[in-house]
Amino acid sequence: VIDGQALGSAVFVGSGLSVGIQNVQVTGGQASSGGGILNNGAVLLLENTEVAGNVALFEGGGLFNDGGAVVVESSTFADNLAGSDSAVGSNTGRTAFRNSTVSNNASLDAFSSVLTLTTLANSTVAENSAGDFGYIATVVWSHHAIIADNLSPNCAYKFWASYGHNIEDSDSCLWEWTNYPQPPHNGHLLNDDPLLSPLQPNGGRGEVEAFRR
């Protein structure tokens, strides 16, 4: 367990580094940005890791990726809080979630989001909340992803570039951008209830949302 003990970011990764973090829990971080993990321009791989119970006063309760590249593999982000924006998000970097779960995270600012500049592959985004006029996701690329059971509208301005085979419980995400080239939308299920179970241990480190059907 990496416990930040509310003394700053639980994990800080400096510019120019290439770092892998595996088989740990990152918790207890409290910082201005990047309560759980602050990635300052590095290449970072998180694998089989749970990032939970972290707080940012501004951006990135669980993760703030500032100009770096982050890959999250077989991991869970849960119960992270951002006072301003992006409970799990990026500034100028890109973050990719693969075979992972993003659940029960919250951003408090009125126009905030939970995920920004993010790729989702075979991942679930559920039971998250944004501000009163906010959205769960802004500028997200996805395939074989589930976005459902959230407490705020799923996607802002349909800024969701979809590469096929996604499930959404509304139809706010999976459409073309009007001003950008877009791949074909194949095999989506829109306005569909994926019948997710509550966040709970379902094998591996951390908790995940499992299908009930």
Side-chain angles (χ1 to χ4, degrees):
V1 176
I2 301 175
D3 189 342
Q5 299 183 351
L7 298 175
S9 300
V11 174
F12 173 79
V13 186
S15 177
L17 298 176
S18 294
V19 176
I21 298 174
Q22 298 175 310
N23 304 312
V24 299
Q25 182 186 54
V26 178
T27 189
Q30 183 171 320
S32 295
S33 297
I37 300 170
L38 176 58
N39 184 49
N40 186 22
V43 176
L44 174 63
L45 170 64
L46 298 175
E47 188 173 14
N48 196 29
T49 290
E50 181 181 22
V51 180
N54 301 284
V55 177
L57 300 181
F58 300 107
E59 297 178 293
L63 166 70
F64 187 64
N65 179 22
D66 188 6
V70 178
V71 175
V72 180
E73 178 77 49
S74 302
S75 296
T76 299
F77 276 70
D79 302 311
N80 299 291
L81 177 66
S84 176
D85 196 16
S86 300
V88 182
S90 297
N91 183 6
T92 57
R94 285 282 295 273
T95 302
F97 287 84
R98 301 192 303 225
N99 304 304
S100 294
T101 297
V102 178
S103 184
N104 292 320
N105 302 282
S107 300
L108 300 183
D109 185 80
F111 295 94
S112 64
S113 61
V114 174
L115 291 168
T116 58
L117 292 175
T118 303
T119 299
L120 298 172
N122 301 294
S123 294
T124 298
V125 179
E127 300 185 44
N128 302 282
S129 65
D132 291 343
F133 305 101
Y135 298 86
I136 298 304
T138 56
V139 192
V140 174
W141 298 260
S142 69
H143 66 86
H144 298 88
I146 298 170
I147 179 167
D149 298 342
N150 293 292
L151 304 181
S152 303
N154 288 333
C155 293
Y157 316 115
K158 303 190 189 315
F159 275 16
W160 186 289
S162 170
Y163 294 85
H165 306 284
N166 301 284
I167 301 175
E168 188 199 355
D169 64 354
S170 68
D171 62 358
S172 66
C173 297
L174 303 176
W175 299 94
E176 291 185 336
W177 288 355
T178 56
N179 298 320
Y180 297 89
Q182 184 76 7
H185 298 168
N186 299 317
H188 301 310
L189 292 176
L190 303 181
N191 296 300
D192 190 83
D193 185 357
L195 299 176
L196 295 169
S197 295
L199 194 69
Q200 60 188 335
N202 285 291
R205 176 173 291 277
E207 299 178 320
V208 299
E209 306 254 356
F211 280 114
R212 289 189 281 114
R213 66 176 178 181

